[in-house]
Amino acid sequence: MESFIEIMKNKKIVSASAPGKLMLFGEHSVVYGHPCIVTAVDQRLTVNIHENGEDVFTLEAPDLQLHAYAKTMEDLGKKPLPKGVRFIEILYKNFLKKHPQERGIHVTTRNEFNHTFGFGSSSAVTVAFAKALTTLYDITLTNKDLFDLCYEAVIEVQGVGSGFDIAAAIWGGTIFYVPAAEEVIQLNVEELPLVVGYTGIKADTPTIVRMVASLKNREPDKVEQIFENITVIVKKAQQAFIDDDKQFLGNLASNNQDLLRELGVSTKELDNLIKASEQAGSYGAKLSGAGGGDCMIAFSNGNKSNIEKAIDDAGGKVLHIKTNAPGVRIESSNK
Ligand code: MEV
């Protein structure tokens, strides 16, 4: 048996990063199998891993307020399961069932995200970790296989979700997505002309998804019709991206927002920022994500600074992020 020192000397270290996401069209209906359009953003989460030579899983994640976290291999997935480690730990447990290993791993994470803004750090950490882990053990997966590994963990942890955020973290760019990655089409767009405004209110996605589920139980016909109408918008938006028709994209965003309001997921704060951006000349705007707070997006008419000022004056915080970012990638590996 190798000594601990020998193991550390020969250790293989893999580092992978994955981007966050911004939902553009089709939130909520995508949970029920309809398509959506999502873009990856330039906020990345990086995961480093190496074998630690012990029968234990250890993690250091300062951005997630987790220090010297440790679990024996047989306790993987058992409580306590702090928020910051849940996705990684469950994925690791599932991975080991399929690919048993003798030694545990040490994981560190580095986060460019600000948690509050809802850009999908959970999906990014899950995807970056899965990519690093499979690379460490020389397992080559297609994007779809990587998706399935990550989606299984996310559903085990949070019970709901369409997986659009995982797809954005894996494929990157701007994609037309049908759950669960049954269809993923790259839209090959340039950097999008978007202004992103944060309401200052943190929303909890699973809670809002469950709220829509309960409305759908009570009023199935109404909600199905809303989802059908959103789907028509998503398909038109797919073509508008291909045609690079920014004005039409803005109009479609406003139409999508009307339907999200009917679903009851918009808020006074979101509506205020959306209205302010429209008054400042944006082509159209909508909430992005689950609603209940978080962010709105406005399609700019070319004069971004006017729209940014209007959002700022209306009490929002303008977030300067780049869209269409690359998907998961290996940053370094000494294998
Ligand atoms: C949340 O950002 C988007 C939702 O459609 C949920 C999901 O797709 O998992 C509301």
Side-chain angles (χ1 to χ4, degrees):
M1 178 128 168
E2 276 175 292
S3 72
F4 179 72
I5 292 168
E6 277 165 334
I7 288 163
M8 296 318 270
K9 210 168 61 194
N10 301 325
K11 79 183 169 198
K12 302 157 186 164
I13 306 173
V14 181
S15 169
S17 78
K21 51 77 193 163
L22 191 63
M23 177 66 100
L24 300 178
F25 292 94
E27 45 274 271
H28 288 293
S29 45
V30 68
V31 175
Y32 296 87
H34 297 272
C36 75
I37 297 176
V38 55
T39 189
V41 299
D42 65 341
Q43 312 243 320
R44 299 188 80 83
L45 196 141
T46 305
V47 172
N48 297 298
I49 66 173
H50 61 83
E51 286 194 324
N52 56 20
E54 295 173 68
D55 188 20
V56 64
F57 164 73
T58 51
L59 175 109
E60 194 64 38
D63 301 315
L64 305 171
Q65 276 80 49
L66 279 173
H67 296 283
Y69 180 81
K71 263 293 182 47
T72 62
M73 304 298 254
E74 59 175 44
D75 279 349
L76 282 176
K78 293 186 190 153
K79 290 184 177 152
L81 213 49
K83 226 175 167 190
V85 75
R86 295 183 297 178
F87 297 95
I88 293 182
E89 190 171 324
I90 296 292
L91 191 143
Y92 185 42
K93 175 194 72 141
N94 294 346
F95 173 85
L96 289 177
K97 268 195 210 141
K98 292 178 207 144
H99 309 281
Q101 306 294 333
E102 280 174 18
R103 301 190 191 110
I105 52 170
H106 179 66
V107 179
T108 56
T109 68
R110 190 164 41 81
N111 196 351
E112 291 174 0
F113 286 68
N114 183 324
H115 281 291
T116 32
F117 301 145
F119 287 140
S121 60
S122 310
S123 43
V125 78
T126 311
V127 168
F129 174 66
K131 183 74 179 177
L133 189 64
T134 48
T135 304
L136 183 74
Y137 294 114
D138 289 323
I139 295 163
T140 309
L141 297 182
T142 62
N143 276 355
K144 176 70 168 80
D145 290 339
L146 190 64
F147 176 91
D148 290 343
L149 179 66
C150 296
Y151 190 52
E152 178 191 39
V154 168
I155 291 299
E156 192 172 329
V157 170
Q158 66 184 28
V160 288
S162 66
F164 81 103
D165 42 0
I166 298 169
I170 293 176
W171 276 268
T174 300
I175 55 174
F176 175 92
Y177 169 84
V178 177
E182 286 304 314
E183 246 185 281
V184 178
I185 302 173
Q186 287 283 0
L187 296 183
N188 294 325
V189 298
E190 306 276 304
E191 168 71 21
L192 304 170
L194 287 180
V195 177
V196 183
Y198 179 62
T199 54
I201 295 159
K202 175 95 192 95
D204 181 53
T205 297
T207 306
I208 298 164
V209 169
R210 289 195 177 99
M211 206 181 83
V212 172
S214 110
L215 178 67
K216 190 165 176 296
N217 268 341
R218 279 179 277 128
E219 299 184 63
D221 294 347
K222 175 183 160 179
V223 173
E224 274 306 337
Q225 189 56 57
I226 293 176
F227 288 169
E228 289 300 329
N229 294 345
I230 291 178
T231 299
V232 171
I233 290 173
V234 170
K235 290 189 177 154
K236 285 186 182 165
Q238 180 187 15
Q239 188 56 45
F241 276 117
I242 293 166
D243 300 341
D244 195 24
D245 188 343
K246 298 185 177 70
Q247 183 154 9
F248 190 41
L249 282 167
N251 295 344
L252 292 169
S254 301
N255 297 344
N256 195 161
Q257 173 63 16
D258 291 341
L259 294 163
L260 289 164
R261 256 185 225 119
E262 274 188 58
L263 269 187
V265 297
S266 196
T267 61
K268 187 170 78 314
E269 292 79 6
L270 281 164
D271 287 342
N272 276 345
L273 301 190
I274 288 166
K275 194 162 141 215
S277 80
E278 286 171 346
Q279 283 171 348
S282 81
Y283 286 137
K286 63 183 279 294
L287 66 83
S288 166
D294 281 343
C295 292
M296 50 73 70
I297 51 174
F299 282 84
S300 140
N301 54 354
N303 194 344
K304 271 193 176 188
S305 52
N306 260 6
I307 300 168
E308 288 173 355
K309 181 169 181 319
I311 289 176
D312 202 50
D313 290 347
K317 179 176 168 50
V318 174
L319 305 179
H320 296 279
I321 52 159
K322 290 208 167 75
T323 54
N324 217 22
V328 65
R329 63 184 179 218
I330 295 296
E331 295 293 351
S332 64
S333 163
N334 63 351
K335 297 205 61 214

